[in-house]
Amino acid sequence: MAYAGSTTFENYQPADETHAAARVRLDAIARFFDSAFTLPGTNIRFGADALLNLFPGAGTLLSSGVSAYLVWEARRLGAPKILIGRMLANVGVDTVISAVPLVGWVGDVFFRANLRNMKLLRDHLDKVARNRVEEESITTTWRVVR
């Protein structure tokens, strides 16, 4: 018997449901780390990533670890290597920005690697879903003869 959360459970679920659940979970993580809070009196959004950088070293390491987890999940969902490379580049830029004291705090507010990576992953999963629908659909060509 397969229990929810076990590795064999995913074998009993259609891929679209698995992708949808992962998408919701990963989107929530990305939003929490990049745009969960609003600076009062402004329209500037920031997340836990910027707050963690108040703790030099450990905060950067933790936020980079969460970003790496998002990339790992993307790979598990079947993202191609070129997409994984682009996502890792975003994480690398974010890590470099975060490593610089003071500048990194401001940089984390404006460079949102997790949200960028989730957009890349969403676009890929949407493309895969469209291709699957097109492959499963039946197309016929009708010719009118008079």
Side-chain angles (χ1 to χ4, degrees):
M1 175 163 210
Y3 297 99
S6 69
T7 54
T8 55
F9 182 72
E10 288 183 1
N11 296 333
Y12 297 105
Q13 291 183 340
D16 292 340
E17 290 179 17
T18 305
H19 287 182
R23 198 182 237 191
V24 169
R25 182 171 35 86
L26 297 177
D27 271 334
I29 292 169
R31 276 194 314 275
F32 177 71
F33 269 81
D34 284 348
S35 65
F37 313 106
T38 304
L39 197 60
T42 67
N43 214 11
I44 298 173
R45 299 189 64 79
F46 63 96
D49 190 13
L51 295 176
L52 284 171
N53 282 328
L54 296 174
F55 306 101
T60 303
L61 186 65
L62 182 62
S63 64
S64 296
V66 171
S67 297
Y69 168 73
L70 294 176
V71 175
W72 178 78
E73 282 286 334
R75 182 68 183 142
R76 193 182 64 78
L77 291 171
K81 289 180 181 179
I82 189 76
L83 180 63
I84 297 298
R86 289 179 67 190
M87 292 174 80
L88 286 173
N90 284 336
V91 172
V93 168
D94 188 45
T95 302
V96 168
I97 289 172
S98 299
V100 180
L102 297 175
V103 174
W105 299 336
V106 175
D108 273 333
V109 171
F110 296 106
F111 186 80
R112 299 176 175 138
N114 297 318
L115 290 177
R116 287 173 186 245
N117 286 344
M118 283 311 301
K119 180 176 180 346
L120 291 171
L121 181 60
R122 266 193 313 274
D123 291 346
H124 168 71
L125 293 176
D126 288 345
K127 182 178 159 187
V128 168
R130 276 193 309 271
N131 289 342
R132 187 177 303 127
V133 168
E134 288 174 4
E135 288 174 1
E136 293 174 358
S137 66
I138 300 173
T139 57
T140 59
T141 304
W142 291 87
R143 192 171 142 188
V144 178
V145 179
R146 290 186 191 199

